Amino acid sequence: MTLRQFEYLITVVDEGSFTRAAELLHVTQPALSHQIQALERAVGARLLDRLPRAVRLTPAGRAWLPHARAALAEAERALTAARRTAGVECGELRVATLYSLTLGVLPPVLRCWRAEHPDVRIRLFEHRHADELREAMADGQADLALGPEPANWAGFRQRLGVEEFVVVLPPDTHHREPIDLRELADVGWVHYAPGNGLADLVDAACAERGFQPGAAVRTEQTAAAPVLAASGLGPALVPRNIVPETFDGAVLRTDPPVRRTLVAYAHKTPDPLASAFVALLAEAGWDA
């Protein structure tokens, strides 16, 4: 077995298609199939079911996958650690996070990081839900995670700051700031699709105030919520840091505030380079 074969099969699983995986890996589809068949022979079991329009892990494949992800991630960390020890600050820092944080928190941090560490690539793994993020980190997907505080996490964890949420309404709104969410209990909301973790946050914030928000429209895309709300489809509760300064809609703070604590976490204490990234996150100035 080779790490390249591990990468090939993991990519097929993630893409759900041999064709898309071959394009992403820049190999021919026959070569990709040949390497996966060689891996299955080495394992002694079939790892994938080839369906007419998709691929599916076999029970052996499901047992194999998390260990393969961890092995591939550990190999990349070993290479990076060796290069850093040799005084070569290069390679790749793997960061897992949520889509909403990629929109709001990370851009200024990544811009600063690029200026200070031009030879260190950042590879982002983005997830829709905090539970998916925690599970991916438990499987060893990344060197570091940025997200809400994970439950029952035994490894490294460092508080970074508090993310504040605001209500977005059309620009001609008559509501005053700060707004009590109960004022919006009887209207249809711009809500998030169930797979988006912000759907749970909105439901919880409204439940604390004694009502369940009705959905006029649901969106998969966090970035679409403030745009839809500003167009008059209903109020949206969004992270303050994703709303651009030139935004046309009304952006109102809430009373009481809706906030969530964000942390950086990992299996082990981060190495010096990952620690530098955590420090940059903590200094980003987005704490409420």
Side-chain angles (χ1 to χ4, degrees):
M1 291 184 291
T2 68
L3 290 174
R4 177 68 68 181
Q5 291 169 345
F6 281 27
E7 181 185 15
Y8 282 4
L9 195 142
I10 289 169
T11 304
V12 170
V13 171
D14 289 345
E15 294 299 314
S17 162
F18 275 83
T19 301
R20 289 195 297 271
E23 292 173 353
L24 188 63
L25 294 164
H26 303 292
V27 299
T28 65
Q29 192 167 331
L32 177 60
S33 297
H34 174 75
Q35 288 299 319
I36 289 179
Q37 289 168 3
L39 174 60
E40 290 177 321
R41 287 195 298 271
V43 172
R46 188 162 43 86
L47 301 175
L48 286 178
D49 282 329
R50 283 87 166 162
L51 305 177
R53 295 182 179 273
V55 295
R56 183 177 60 195
L57 285 167
T58 65
R62 289 194 295 271
W64 172 89
L65 186 63
H67 300 287
R69 288 192 191 277
L72 195 59
E74 191 61 35
E76 294 188 15
R77 283 193 288 269
L79 177 60
T80 300
R83 286 175 171 171
R84 292 173 190 167
T85 301
V88 182
E89 191 176 285
C90 61
E92 184 176 80
L93 184 63
R94 299 154 63 91
V95 179
T97 189
L98 302 175
Y99 281 108
S100 64
L101 299 182
T102 304
L103 287 170
V105 172
L106 280 178
V109 174
L110 294 177
R111 186 165 54 247
C112 292
W113 179 265
R114 181 67 175 171
E116 296 177 11
H117 306 274
D119 297 322
V120 180
R121 301 185 304 274
I122 297 291
R123 182 175 179 185
L124 291 178
F125 298 88
E126 298 165 280
H127 298 274
R128 297 188 304 163
H129 199 287
D131 291 344
E132 294 177 7
L133 173 62
R134 187 194 185 286
E135 183 177 347
M137 284 301 294
D139 289 340
Q141 182 183 66
D143 303 305
L144 191 71
L146 166 62
E149 188 160 358
N152 303 318
W153 187 260
F156 168 84
R157 180 169 47 192
Q158 179 175 323
R159 181 187 183 278
L160 297 174
V162 177
E163 184 180 35
E164 184 171 4
F165 286 74
V166 293
V167 170
V168 176
L169 293 165
D172 57 352
T173 183
H174 300 297
H175 291 279
R176 291 183 296 179
E177 186 183 36
I179 187 171
D180 188 326
L181 295 185
R182 287 175 293 187
E183 297 178 40
L184 306 171
D186 297 326
V187 301
W189 284 58
V190 174
H191 211 330
Y192 302 97
N196 187 318
L198 293 183
D200 294 344
L201 183 143
V202 172
D203 287 341
C206 294
E208 289 177 4
R209 291 152 180 83
F211 71 97
Q212 180 177 355
V217 61
R218 287 186 181 269
T219 177
E220 293 273 0
Q221 304 297 326
T222 303
V227 178
L228 295 172
S231 71
L233 293 179
L237 188 66
V238 306
R240 183 179 63 182
N241 49 49
I242 75 166
V243 182
E245 293 182 4
T246 57
F247 186 67
D248 290 335
V251 180
L252 307 179
R253 292 177 294 108
T254 66
D255 182 23
V258 179
R259 294 170 175 167
R260 68 176 175 183
T261 299
L262 298 182
V263 301
Y265 63 97
H267 278 292
K268 303 175 183 177
T269 301
D271 64 24
L273 198 60
S275 294
F277 191 79
V278 172
L280 199 59
L281 283 167
E283 296 168 2
W286 48 270
D287 204 340

